[in-house]
């Protein structure tokens, strides 16, 4: 309660339309999986994007109209912080799965540990990570090599880390009222983000073509693609958000003291960054 | 007496009144026939009484307030809002009670899970929806299916009443025969989804996981028939995969083994017998009833919406090769129709297909030969 | 404290009218109403499924349906009740009450609030659409264990998974909104420690939601990938493990059950003092107890997996942690009892439901403690003993708490008193029939009846006949409740600002029915103090 003024958002059609779009999109996926047409999901995606766009436009308008006070800003900050926490839990589940199979399931199948009796069923399987032989390889795409930490992954680590640096530089620019520094460094950050995604896709192509490592390569392929894939999606999302922020920065929406939109996105970007470090450590290196 | 009669009467007296035999009516956990089961039972009773006493205590105090401290009896509200000593007491005492429970629970758990070297090991495979037992080192193995009487009576719109069936849903064609007083180890796994092997009298249930092995040890004290059923949701037939353990003396067990092996040998020599329609149909019916009937039903009518009928089915009455491929390699679309190529040998498959193609109202007239099956593999 | 005003914005003060009003609303009261009405309808939807279950189980043999359809009924009953009935009801209560109880003008993020609600009807549609699909609605149990739900699941499972994603987003967004509102919008002078217990329990529940729901989304996604994209998270042939599913699911699943009970605890902690005309006993220790329960709830998950053959050390660890939860929960039960002690009790409907909550939840909790003893659970697991436990904690726990809350606050919401005589009937009919339904299940379970079976051996016939009769009776009793709500909405004796003279809290300083805008001016520090925990003075 900075100045005793409360702001309460007016009725808005966009949340319910957003919900509709999301439902359409997912229902569309469901139909696709069972030989349905592509139309519903595309329709859903369009509705979703439009609704979200209108929704955020409204928020930005109100913000520019100076309707938001310190308290509203605090609400947004808290909201963003807890949203990121929920994302952390999502990745927590995925990492948890990786640790479980590596430390327990696969050794058991290989005849080690408390439940090693499983080996009776897979006499030829040896506990070895990354799995190049599954318990029943005949049913899977057997990769001829695993992902190493060197090469593209290492480069991508450098790319993301430096992008973390550049958003911070942009932030300083913003604090110094240096609009050009702000926009410049934001642009660099976006480009780095794009580079990351492109390299990642290139690496996937390499894995599929040369290594024969696919989603269908047993638990190694499964965990590899799920973890890196989810992260890749988040990076792409981050890039989009950064672009919006760049647009707003050029419009001069941000002041040295009041620029929550910018901060929210940079928090998100740092989160994506940290997740990648975890991935690099546990998926590529360990 | 019809089914409705049973329940209504049953409301007043335990339903032993019906013609058929059944397990006794019970209110409490099975005391069991293994040391482990007894320990579990005693632990159960201990915790039960602890909970009963705690509950009674809490309820007594509450009821006292409800009776004495009502405004209608002119009760004036006191003002106190806490009492640190009291709160410490009812934090510490429950904690102590819990320790008092945890100690015996721990010792029982460790006792149950000790795995000394067994006298006999049986591999137990759960599959939709029957159990398969193989006595390791005795090249003896067989399926154990829900008995046909229960299967008939349990069908939707059945004319036969459950109350007329002995041990309704708790009886099988081939029970698991085990020696009394010997140390038996079960190694459980599954061919498809998760099942759970549970015979209350033995004092535990253990999941049968696809691709993994769980072990459980039992020493049965008394001869007898001990009944249970699958305890993990495993699809349409989950309620219909009973377990019967027949515990016999060590001597009887040995003779049973011998005679079971003889029977198997006999079947093999029968395999030498010339291949005729009659032979094929007879053997085919055996295979069908022990495996396929679980889904497609003994009368081949299947279960609408769940399992297709074979009586008059297009596949069964269609070209033989397609039919063979379907049974050997399983359905390309529905995993529940699994490949039987590994499970059954050429002769069994030939007999089975002959039976299907000429059973019920199917009259393709073709006698499938083991050679044809071999060719189709 | 400077004068606060709503910034006039087009559309806000002259709220949108007609059907669009409900679609577009950003008002916490309207959204709360939407949540409660939606939940009410879902309760009856799930209730009808339960009635079908009880009808099939009335006697041995299959009378009404094929086994697979029965499995769908059980699955959909569980999913509907948990995700579409109990949870929305609790969020609805939060929407109505939290702003009123902390003196805030509305929820912190009103548009997000609207979104959180409107996601739910769509999720419900996706989930229930399964009944129209080949092979029917999801049938692998509400826990949808792999591989039954993956390799062997019907097409509708995919739509269930997407429904779960949507419901997850809804819960997380709702929870974030609640946390932010509580942390940021409290009336000046209201310290965290002085917040009403309903607000406290919801703050902690919301934290659990943000922690648990994403994990559920994760495991559901893995199941989707195993179903369609060739991964083998839960298939040993590829190096996965079916138990991986269960571990992740229950890491969500156990906090989930406390998510469903903690707000009910809060409701009881509001109602008992009111009708005892006495301050809540051991207020601070209540708050610590709830926090302790929440913390422990994330380290007990494998107590649902004692029969899967975990390493013995793991079984021991999870047995101890699970048992430990009895201590903080006990503190709550004891404190409620001490609050009653030497009070001046009256027995209006909210009090009756609250009291039966304490009695019957304790029964459920104690059976939970029995389940926690691993060796004994080897026998109890997946039997009707568990079904009895879950209904004593969920029906006579969460649901009774919700019904108590509705009776308690209905006069405030509608401005009318409900028909007390009818309410007493509703209570006694429900209280008797609910025990008739679920108590015999303890015996059926101990006698050896597994859960999730459409047909059973003859020795279980008696228990099931009784449960079915009780179940139908309980279901019908709820129609009375429906009628009572309609009646109260329509009219009745004006409630006045403080219908319960023993009640304290900011919500009672406002007129009933509540004006469209409340606390556009924050309540004065004096009011906050007078209505705070030190009231009853
Ligand atoms: C609102 C929901 C809710 C709540 C609050 C609880 C509370 C508890 N539950 Fe329950 N539980 C479920 C919902 C809930 N449960 C559901 C839905 C399932 C089944 C899921 C499925 O498989 O479908 C389940 C299953 C379940 C299992 C698995 C059973 C099995 O499948 O084999 C276990 C095992 O430990 C368990 C234990 C407990 C314990 C120890 C508590 C404790 O929190 C209880 C604590 C309370 C008390 C103990 C009573 C009051 C305390 C006192 C009076 C103090 C003195 C007491 C002592 C010192 C003992 N529960
Ligand atoms: C809170 C959740 C909840 C509720 C309320 C119920 C209510 C009931 N349940 Fe449910 N049940 C579960 C949760 C719940 N159940 C779960 C999780 C399972 C496990 C599923 C699985 O195994 O996968 C289960 C399983 C289950 C089984 C076991 C099936 C099996 O294993 O084969 C049975 C069998 O009798 C059963 C019966 C009933 C009955 C007769 C009711 C009756 O109480 C129904 C009558 C109730 C009503 C008609 C509605 C009452 C509500 C109101 C009046 C609204 C008030 C609220 C507002 C105003 C917002 N339930
Ligand atoms: Cu097999 Cu249930
Ligand atoms: Cu639990």
């Amino acid at each position: 309660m900075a100045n005793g003024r409360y702001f309460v958002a007016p009725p808005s059609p966009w949340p319910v339309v957003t919900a509709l779009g999301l439902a359409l999109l997912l229902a569309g996926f469901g139909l696709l999986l069972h030989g349905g047409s592509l139309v519903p999901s595309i329709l859903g995606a369009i509705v979703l994007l439009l609704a979200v766009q209108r929704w955020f436009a409204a928020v930005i308008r109100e913000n520019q109209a100076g309707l938001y006070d310190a308290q509203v800003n605090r609400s947004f900050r808290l909201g963003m912080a807890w949203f990121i926490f929920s994302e952390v839990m999502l990745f927590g589940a995925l990492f948890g799965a990786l640790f479980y199979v590596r430390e327990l399931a696969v050794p058991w199948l290989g005849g080690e540990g408390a439940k090693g009796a499983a080996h009776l069923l897979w006499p030829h399987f040896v506990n070895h990570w990354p799995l190049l032989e599954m318990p029943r390889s005949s049913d899977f795409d057997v990769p001829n090599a695993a992902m190493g930490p060197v090469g593209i992954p290492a480069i991508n680590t450098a790319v993301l880390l430096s992008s973390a640096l550049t958003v911070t530089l942009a932030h300083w620019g913003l604090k110094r009222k240096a609009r050009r520094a702000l926009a410049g460094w934001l642009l660099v950050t976006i480009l780095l983000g794009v580079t990351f995604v492109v390299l990642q896709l290139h690496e996937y192509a390499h894995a599929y073509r040369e290594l024969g490592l696919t989603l269908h390569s047993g638990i190694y392929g499964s965990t590899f693609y799920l973890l890196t894939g989810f992260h890749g999606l988040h990076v792409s999302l981050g890039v989009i958000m950064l672009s919006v922020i760049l647009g707003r920065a050029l419009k001069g929406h941000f002041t040295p003291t009041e620029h929550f939109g910018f901060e929210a996105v940079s928090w998100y970007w740092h989160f994506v960054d940290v997740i990648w470090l975890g991935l690099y450590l546990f998926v590529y290196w360990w | 007496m019809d089914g409705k009669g049973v329940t209504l009467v049953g409301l007043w007296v335990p339903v032993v009144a019906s013609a058929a035999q059944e397990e006794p009516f019970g209110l409490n956990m099975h005391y069991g026939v293994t040391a482990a089961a007894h320990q579990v039972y005693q632990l159960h009773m201990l915790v039960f009484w602890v909970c009963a006493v705690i509950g009674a205590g809490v309820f007594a105090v509450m009821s006292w307030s409800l009776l004495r401290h009502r405004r209608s009896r002119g009760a004036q509200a006191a003002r106190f809002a806490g009492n640190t000593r009291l709160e410490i007491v009812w934090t510490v005492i429950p904690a102590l009670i819990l320790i008092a429970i945890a100690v015996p629970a721990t010792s029982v758990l460790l006792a149950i899970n000790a795995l000394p070297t067994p006298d006999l090991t049986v591999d137990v495979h759960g599959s939709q929806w029957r159990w398969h037992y193989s006595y390791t080192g005795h090249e003896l193995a067989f399926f154990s299916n829900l008995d046909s009487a229960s299967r008939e009576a349990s069908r939707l719109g059945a004319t036969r009443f459950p109350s007329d069936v002995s041990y309704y849903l708790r009886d099988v064609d081939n029970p698991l025969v085990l020696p009394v007083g010997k140390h038996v180890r079960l190694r459980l796994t599954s061919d498809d989804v998760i099942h759970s092997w549970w015979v209350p009298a033995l004092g535990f249930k253990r999941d049968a996981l696809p691709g993994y092995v769980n072990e459980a040890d039992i020493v049965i004290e008394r001869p007898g028939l001990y009944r249970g059923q699958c305890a993990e949701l495993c699809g349409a037939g989950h309620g219909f995969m009973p377990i019967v353990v027949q515990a016999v003396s060590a001597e009887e067990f040995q003779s049973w083994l011998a005679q079971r092996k003889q029977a198997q040998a006999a079947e093999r020599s029968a395999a030498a017998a010339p291949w005729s329609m009659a032979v094929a149909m007879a053997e085919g019916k055996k295979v069908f009833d022990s495996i396929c009937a679980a889904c497609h039903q003994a009368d081949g009518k299947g279960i609408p919406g769940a399992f297709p009928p074979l009586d008059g089915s297009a596949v069964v009455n269609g070209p033989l090769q397609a039919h063979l491929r379907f049974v050997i390699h399983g359905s390309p679309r529905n995993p529940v129709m699994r490949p039987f190529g590994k499970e059954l040998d050429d002769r069994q498959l030939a007999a089975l297909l002959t039976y299907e193609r000429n059973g019920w109202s199917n009259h393709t007239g073709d006698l499938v030969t083991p050679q044809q099956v071999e060719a189709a593999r | 404290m400077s004068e606060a005003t709503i910034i006039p914005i087009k559309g806000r003060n002259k709220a949108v009218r007609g059907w669009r009003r409900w679609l577009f609303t950003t008002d916490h009261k309207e959204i709360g109403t939407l949540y409660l009405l939606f939940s009410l309808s879902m309760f009856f939807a799930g209730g009808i499924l339960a009635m079908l279950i009880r009808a099939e189980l009335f006697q041995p043999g299959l009378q009404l349906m094929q086994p697979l359809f029965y499995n769908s009924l059980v699955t959909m009953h569980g999913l509907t009740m948990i995700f579409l009935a109990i949870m929305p009801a609790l969020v609805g209560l939060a929407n109505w009450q939290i702003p009123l109880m902390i003196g805030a003008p509305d929820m912190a993020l009103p548009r997000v609030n609207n979104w959180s609600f409107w996601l739910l009807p769509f999720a419900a549609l996706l989930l229930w659409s399964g009944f129209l699909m080949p092979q029917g609605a999801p049938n692998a149990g509400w826990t949808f264990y792999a591989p039954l739900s993956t390799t062997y699941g019907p097409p509708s499972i995919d739509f269930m998974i997407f429904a779960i994603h949507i419901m997850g987003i809804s819960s997380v967004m709702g929870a974030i909104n609640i946390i932010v509102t509580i942390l940021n919008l409290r009336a000046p002078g209201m310290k965290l420690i002085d917040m009403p217990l309903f607000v406290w329990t919801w703050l902690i529940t919301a934290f659990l939601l943000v922690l648990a729901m994403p994990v559920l989304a994760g495991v559901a996604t893995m199941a989707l990938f195993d179903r369609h994209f060739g991964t083998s998270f839960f298939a040993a042939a590829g190096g996965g493990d079916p138990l991986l599913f269960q571990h992740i699911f229950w890491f969500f699943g156990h906090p989930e059950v406390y998510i469903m009970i903690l707000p009910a605890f809060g409701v009881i902690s509001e109602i008992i003092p009111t009708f005892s005309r006495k301050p809540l006993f051991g207020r601070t220790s209540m708050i610590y107890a709830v926090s302790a329960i929440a913390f422990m709830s994330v380290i007990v998950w494998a107590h649902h997996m004692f029969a899967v053959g975990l390493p013995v050390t793991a079984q021991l660890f999870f047995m101890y942690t699970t048992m430990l939860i009895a201590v903080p929960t006990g503190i709550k039960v004891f404190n409620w009892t001490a609050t009653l002690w030497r009070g001046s009790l009256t027995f209006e409907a909210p009090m009756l439901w609250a009291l039966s909550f304490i009695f019957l939840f304790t029964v459920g909790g104690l059976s939970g403690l029995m389940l926690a003893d691993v060796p004994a659970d080897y026998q109890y697991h997946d039997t009707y003993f568990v079904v009895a436990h879950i209904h004593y904690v969920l029906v006579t726990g969460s649901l009774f708490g919700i019904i108590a809350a509705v009776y308690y606050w209905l006069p405030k919401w509608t401005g009318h008193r409900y028909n007390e005589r009818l309410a007493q009937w509703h209570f006694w009919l429900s209280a008797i029939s609910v025990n008739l339904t679920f108590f015999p299940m303890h015996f059926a379970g101990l006698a050896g009846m597994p859960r999730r079976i459409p047909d059973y051996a003859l020795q279980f016939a008696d228990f099931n006949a009784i449960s079915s009769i009780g179940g139908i009776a309980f279901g019908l009793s709820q129609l009375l409740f429906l009628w009572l709500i309609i009646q109260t909405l329509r009219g009745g004796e004006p409630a006045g600002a403080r219908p319960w003279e023993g009640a304290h809290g900011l919500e009672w300083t406002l007129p009933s029915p509540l004006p469209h805008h409340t606390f556009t001016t924050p309540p004065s520090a004096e009011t906050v103090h007078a209505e705070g925990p030190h009231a009853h003075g």
Side-chain angles (χ1 to χ4, degrees), chain B residues 259-297:
Chain B
Q259 155 235 2
R260 252 328 262 263
K261 285 182 189 164
Q262 269 179 7
Q264 274 192 348
E267 274 174 26
R268 285 208 199 76
S269 59
W275 193 240
S276 77
M277 196 63 162
V279 176
M281 287 298 279
E283 291 183 16
K285 184 172 178 9
K286 268 221 231 74
V287 179
F288 184 89
D289 290 345
S290 79
I291 296 178
C292 317
C295 301
H296 299 292
Q297 307 302 321

Side-chain angles (χ1 to χ4, degrees), chain C residues 355-386:
Chain C
L355 289 170
S356 60
F357 173 101
I358 304 178
F359 275 100
L360 298 177
F361 171 78
T362 303
V363 173
L366 290 170
S367 64
L369 190 84
M370 295 174 74
L371 291 166
D373 295 87
V374 178
D377 189 59
Y378 286 168
Q379 290 277 38
Y380 305 138
H381 175 67
D382 266 338
T383 66
Y384 265 74
F385 192 84
V386 177

Side-chain angles (χ1 to χ4, degrees), chain A residues 1-20 22-23 26-31 33-34 48 55 58-59 62 67-68 70-76 78-80 82-87 89-90 92-94 96-98 100-101 105-106 108-109 114-115 122 125 131 134-137 139-140 215-223 226 230, chain C residues 1-7 9-12 15-16 23-26 103-106 108-112 114-115 118-119 122 126 155 158-159 162 165-166 169 172-173 176 179-180 183-188 207 210-212 214-215 217-219 221-222 224-225 227-233 236-241 243-244 247-248 251 308-311 519-522:
Chain A
M1 285 292 309
N3 53 3
R5 285 158 81 251
Y6 276 128
F7 169 77
V8 185
S12 155
W14 303 121
V16 62
V17 181
T18 308
L20 173 71
L22 185 63
L26 291 181
F29 279 160
L31 294 172
L33 291 172
H34 299 283
L48 181 60
W55 183 344
V59 175
E62 288 161 12
L67 299 174
Y68 293 171
Q71 186 176 35
V72 176
N73 271 312
R74 190 141 171 274
S75 290
F76 286 157
L78 283 166
M80 189 64 191
W82 284 97
F83 172 69
I84 289 180
F85 174 61
S86 76
E87 292 266 40
M89 288 311 297
L90 175 64
L94 307 185
L98 176 67
Y100 178 86
V101 290
V106 175
W108 288 344
L109 289 166
K115 309 301 291 177
W122 318 105
F125 179 69
L131 265 72
M134 307 0 131
R136 199 192 296 126
S137 297
D139 290 7
F140 296 92
L215 269 174
H216 193 44
S217 297
I219 192 64
Y220 174 56
S222 308
T223 46
L226 195 72
F230 258 85
Chain C
M1 184 61 242
S2 60
E3 174 60 9
T5 50
I6 276 285
I7 298 110
I9 291 179
K10 186 173 137 306
R12 176 66 191 187
V16 190
L23 288 182
F24 300 173
T25 179
T26 48
D106 202 304
L109 309 164
R111 274 174 292 233
V112 174
N114 170 299
W115 190 43
W118 279 109
L119 282 168
F122 293 110
L126 277 187
D158 299 320
F159 293 83
F162 291 132
H165 282 128
I166 296 179
I169 297 174
V172 170
M173 289 303 153
I176 291 177
I179 295 176
V180 175
L183 293 184
N184 195 29
L185 263 58
R186 289 194 312 287
F207 170 72
V210 182
L211 178 130
V215 176
V219 74
T221 310
M222 292 183 206
L224 185 74
F225 272 62
R227 281 171 63 79
H228 293 289
F229 307 124
T231 56
S232 44
F233 291 103
D241 184 350
L243 292 185
L244 172 59
H247 279 291
I248 308 178
F251 182 89
V308 303
L310 297 171
F519 294 125
T520 51
T521 324

Side-chain angles (χ1 to χ4, degrees), chain A residues 7 39 41 43 125 151 178 180 220 225 239 245:
Chain A
F7 169 77
V39 178
S41 29
L43 202 67
F125 179 69
R180 300 189 56 255
Y220 174 56
Y225 284 110
V239 168
I245 293 302

Side-chain angles (χ1 to χ4, degrees), chain B residues 20-98:
Chain B
Q21 296 167 288
E22 63 181 68
E23 296 161 273
F25 170 94
L27 279 173
N28 198 359
M29 185 186 284
H30 207 298
Y31 181 66
V33 293
T34 67
H38 305 329
Q39 289 174 302
V40 168
Y41 175 86
Q42 275 138 8
L43 179 66
H44 155 68
M45 288 318 283
L46 168 72
V47 187
F48 167 74
W49 282 116
V50 169
C51 289
V53 170
I54 290 169
V58 176
F59 295 167
V61 178
M62 277 180 67
S63 309
W64 180 269
S65 311
L66 297 194
L67 295 174
R68 293 310 196 75
H69 306 140
R70 355 175 109 222
R71 188 165 65 173
S72 53
R73 295 171 96 263
Q76 287 300 320
R79 285 273 149 268
F80 61 88
N83 176 331
T84 315
R85 201 189 295 106
L86 211 54
E87 293 179 51
I88 291 174
V89 168
W90 66 48
T91 311
V92 173
I93 292 185
L96 295 177
I97 297 176
L98 290 172

Side-chain angles (χ1 to χ4, degrees), chain B residues 3-4 6-8 10-11 13-15 18 22-30 40 43-44 47-48 51 54-55 58-59 61-66 69-72 75-83 86-87 90-91 94-95 98 101-102 105-106 108-110 112-113 128 153-157 162-163 165 168-170 191-194 196 198-207 209-212 214 229-236 238-240 303-306 335-336, chain C residues 56 58-68 71 75 135 139-141 145-148 151-152 236 239-243 246 276-283 285 306-309 312 315-316 319-320 323-324 326-327 331 333-335 337-338 340-348 355 358-359 362-363 366 369-370 373-383 442-443 445-463 465-466 469 501 536-537:
Chain B
K4 194 177 276 79
V6 172
T7 17
L8 295 187
L11 284 176
V13 293
V15 276
S18 70
E22 63 181 68
E23 296 161 273
F25 170 94
L27 279 173
N28 198 359
M29 185 186 284
H30 207 298
V40 168
L43 179 66
H44 155 68
V47 187
F48 167 74
C51 289
I54 290 169
V58 176
F59 295 167
V61 178
M62 277 180 67
S63 309
W64 180 269
S65 311
L66 297 194
H69 306 140
R70 355 175 109 222
R71 188 165 65 173
S72 53
Q76 287 300 320
R79 285 273 149 268
F80 61 88
N83 176 331
L86 211 54
E87 293 179 51
W90 66 48
T91 311
L98 290 172
I101 302 172
T106 307
V108 175
L109 183 68
L110 296 176
I112 297 178
N113 287 281
Q128 290 177 319
S154 66
R155 191 127 21 93
L156 187 58
S163 51
V165 179
Y168 177 62
L169 296 185
R170 294 281 208 143
D191 301 335
D192 36 51
V193 301
I194 303 175
S196 192
W198 183 37
V199 176
L202 304 185
F204 71 92
K205 69 174 63 70
R206 187 80 81 247
D207 286 4
L209 303 159
Y212 288 80
N214 274 328
Q229 65 191 95
C230 177
E232 178 66 62
L233 179 60
C234 55
H238 166 55
F240 309 92
I303 291 180
V336 176
Chain C
E56 177 55 62
F58 177 66
Q59 55 170 266
L62 291 181
Q63 288 82 24
L64 305 176
M65 61 192 74
Q66 296 296 356
L68 214 54
N71 295 354
T75 305
Q135 298 173 55
N139 52 24
Y145 280 4
L148 185 61
T151 322
Y152 296 79
D241 184 350
L243 292 185
Q246 297 185 24
S276 310
R277 295 164 181 75
K278 199 162 150 290
L280 182 65
F281 186 92
R283 197 170 179 288
S285 65
F306 286 149
V308 303
V312 175
Q315 298 187 33
L316 284 173
M319 169 169 76
Y320 299 146
M323 287 177 139
L324 219 50
V327 174
I331 292 177
V333 171
F334 296 140
N335 284 1
T337 314
L340 294 168
W341 190 255
R342 297 193 37 230
S344 154
L345 311 183
T346 53
F347 300 92
E348 293 83 348
L355 289 170
I358 304 178
F359 275 100
T362 303
V363 173
L366 290 170
L369 190 84
M370 295 174 74
D373 295 87
V374 178
D377 189 59
Y378 286 168
Q379 290 277 38
Y380 305 138
H381 175 67
D382 266 338
T383 66
H442 291 107
F443 301 121
L446 292 174
M449 179 171 171
R451 56 191 284 204
R452 296 167 166 176
I453 55 173
D455 191 4
Y456 47 83
L458 298 177
Q459 66 267 30
F460 309 127
D462 309 352
F463 306 119
I466 301 171
I469 293 165
E501 93 278 14
H536 291 274

